[in-house]
Amino acid sequence: MKILAIDDQQLVLLPLEKRLLELGYEVKIETDASKGLDLYESFNPDLVIVDINMPGVSGLEVVKYIRNTKNADTPIMILSGNTKDDTIMQAFELGIDDYMKKPLSLNEISARVKRLIGTPETKNVVTKSNVMIQERCVGVVIPCYNEEERLLSDEFISYIDKNSGYHLCFVNDGSKDKTLEVLKDLQKGREDFITVYNCEKNGGKAEAVRLGMLHMAAKEDLDYIGFLDADLSTDLADFDDLVKTIETSDFKIVSGSRISRMGANITKESARKIISLTINFIIRKILKMDFKDTQCGAKIFHKDVINIAFGEKFVTQWIFDVEIFKRMSIHFGLKKAKAMLCEQPLKRWIHADGSKLSMKDSVKIVFQLGQIAWVYGGKKQNKKVEASSHLKVA
C-alpha cells in the first residue's frame, strides 16, 4: 500500500512519514507540489495526503489535477491548518475523501488512513504515538559556550521527539571545552531536526544568537524563529506557550517575562534581583516602553522581522535584547512597535548555577545602556533627517 504526502514544510512530513512507515505503508514525501505531481505519475500511490496552502501549486490544484486532468479516483486526504469553511467546502466539491485540520495527532491521522485504504499486511506490533502534527514550524536558536557539563541533552531530545514542527539550532560560541562534541552527539540521527552552527572564535552571546537567527531565517519552511538559553531556565513547554501566542495574534515578537506572581515558579538570587530592578528602570526610560523584563532569554519572532532585529551586529554583548526593541521602534515608529511587541509572563524560570553573567558584568550593563542610548539616539536622528530629505525631494 503506497502513500504520497505533499507539504511545503518538511518538519510536518518527516514525523508523518516515520509513523506511516512504522505501520507498514510504502511512503514517499515531497515539499514541492509540482514535483509531487510528477511523483504521483511515477509512484502511482493508493492514497495522497496533501496540504492546502503551498507556494506555487496549491493543494486544491493538486486535487484538481488528480480528479479532473487524470480522471482518477485515488483517495485524497487534506491535512491543513486552513480552517475556512469555503476552502473546506471547495475541497469536498472537488472530490477529496477526508479533511484533517492541524494540529492533529498522528494516532488520528493513522486511524483515518486505515479507514480509507485499510491496513498493510505486517507482523509489526506498533504502539500508539503521542506526537502532534502542528500547524506551524518553529526554529529555536540555543547559544552555547562551555556547556559540556550543563547541557540538558535528554530534555532537548525528548521534546523534539514528541513535538513536531520544531528545529533546534545549537550555536557553539567558540567553546574551550567539549561542547562541540556534545552537540554533534546530540545531533546524530536527528539532522533534520537539529542544526549545529559552529563559531570557531568566542564572539559573545549577542553575536551567537544573531548568527543563529540569520542562519535559521534562511530555512524556507519555518514560520517563526526564537531563542532560548541552553540551561533551560525557561523550559521548552513554556517556550511553546510563547509560540502559541504569536501564531494566534498579530504580534511580531513575543518575549517571555520573569514576573513573580501566584502560580508561577520564578526564582532569582536576591542581589541579582535588586540589580535587575535598577537596570529595568533605566531600560524603560531608554525604550519609552513599559517593559517589565526585557532580558529574559526566551523570545519568539515572526520571520519577517528577523532582518530588522538581527541584520546588523549589536553594540553590546549582554543587553542586545534592548537593542532589538530599539531597532523595532526606530524602524516602525514607537507607537506601531509597541503594538507589535507582547510581553508574556512565564510559568517557570529558575536561575541556573554556572551562569556566565557575573555580578561584575551586571554593573557593566549600566554603562552599556548609556552606549545604547547614545548610538541609537543618533540612528533615530539620522532616520528623521533622511525622511525630511525625501519629503523635500517629493
Side-chain angles (χ1 to χ4, degrees), residues 171-222:
V171 181
N172 177 45
D173 186 23
S175 299
K176 297 176 181 177
D177 62 1
K178 295 181 179 179
T179 295
L180 184 58
E181 293 178 32
V182 172
L183 294 177
K184 290 292 186 181
D185 287 341
L186 180 65
Q187 182 191 35
K188 199 171 294 181
R190 295 177 174 83
E191 287 80 4
D192 291 318
F193 305 97
I194 296 177
T195 293
V196 176
Y197 187 100
N198 185 42
C199 303
E200 292 186 5
K201 294 182 180 180
N202 175 246
K205 181 180 178 181
E207 185 64 1
V209 169
R210 190 181 79 88
L211 291 174
M213 294 292 287
L214 293 175
H215 179 73
M216 294 300 280
K219 293 185 177 294
E220 295 182 357
D221 64 339
L222 298 179

Side-chain angles (χ1 to χ4, degrees), residues 130-370:
N130 57 1
V131 175
M132 295 289 293
I133 295 295
Q134 299 292 343
E135 181 180 351
R136 75 296 185 274
C137 292
V138 183
V140 187
V141 174
I142 302 126
C144 300
Y145 177 68
N146 291 349
E147 298 288 353
E148 176 189 354
E149 300 294 334
R150 294 201 313 164
L151 196 69
L152 302 173
S153 299
D154 291 342
E155 280 83 347
F156 286 114
I157 290 173
S158 175
Y159 195 80
I160 62 169
D161 283 349
K162 294 178 182 177
N163 296 270
S164 74
Y166 271 92
H167 188 116
L168 308 183
C169 176
F170 292 91
V171 181
N172 177 45
D173 186 23
S175 299
K176 297 176 181 177
D177 62 1
K178 295 181 179 179
T179 295
L180 184 58
E181 293 178 32
V182 172
L183 294 177
K184 290 292 186 181
D185 287 341
L186 180 65
Q187 182 191 35
K188 199 171 294 181
R190 295 177 174 83
E191 287 80 4
D192 291 318
F193 305 97
I194 296 177
T195 293
V196 176
Y197 187 100
N198 185 42
C199 303
E200 292 186 5
K201 294 182 180 180
N202 175 246
K205 181 180 178 181
E207 185 64 1
V209 169
R210 190 181 79 88
L211 291 174
M213 294 292 287
L214 293 175
H215 179 73
M216 294 300 280
K219 293 185 177 294
E220 295 182 357
D221 64 339
L222 298 179
D223 301 302
Y224 311 104
I225 306 170
F227 59 86
L228 189 66
D229 289 336
D231 58 21
L232 288 181
S233 298
T234 300
D235 63 18
L236 285 155
D238 223 3
F239 186 85
D240 193 60
D241 286 340
L242 303 183
V243 175
K244 289 174 183 174
T245 298
I246 200 168
E247 71 171 326
T248 55
S249 68
D250 293 325
F251 295 123
K252 296 296 184 180
I253 304 175
V254 178
S255 177
S257 179
R258 299 161 293 184
I259 302 171
S260 297
R261 70 191 195 284
M262 290 181 66
N265 184 11
I266 310 292
T267 66
K268 290 184 183 179
E269 296 173 343
S270 56
R272 186 181 293 270
K273 187 174 182 180
I274 293 169
I275 291 177
S276 294
L277 290 171
T278 304
I279 291 172
N280 190 254
F281 174 77
I282 301 171
I283 288 172
R284 289 202 302 272
K285 293 297 182 182
I286 292 173
L287 289 178
K288 295 181 175 60
M289 296 183 192
D290 192 27
F291 260 102
K292 299 295 188 293
D293 179 17
T294 58
Q295 299 312 107
C296 177
K299 292 177 173 63
I300 185 74
F301 298 74
H302 200 284
K303 200 173 181 179
D304 59 12
V305 297
I306 296 295
N307 196 53
I308 296 167
F310 297 95
E312 296 181 6
K313 276 194 173 185
F314 294 109
V315 175
T316 61
Q317 182 176 0
W318 293 111
I319 50 175
F320 64 94
D321 311 69
V322 179
E323 295 190 56
I324 290 171
F325 299 133
K326 197 67 182 171
R327 289 175 180 186
M328 290 290 290
S329 64
I330 290 174
H331 185 87
F332 292 105
L334 183 59
K335 184 178 180 181
K336 190 173 180 181
K338 282 182 177 180
M340 292 179 171
L341 305 175
C342 171
E343 189 176 21
Q344 180 168 311
L346 300 171
K347 297 188 182 78
R348 172 190 177 275
W349 187 87
I350 306 295
H351 171 70
D353 293 334
S355 173
K356 306 298 183 301
L357 185 63
S358 66
M359 298 301 282
K360 185 178 179 181
D361 289 323
S362 298
V363 176
K364 289 180 181 177
I365 285 175
V366 176
F367 295 99
Q368 292 180 15
L369 284 169

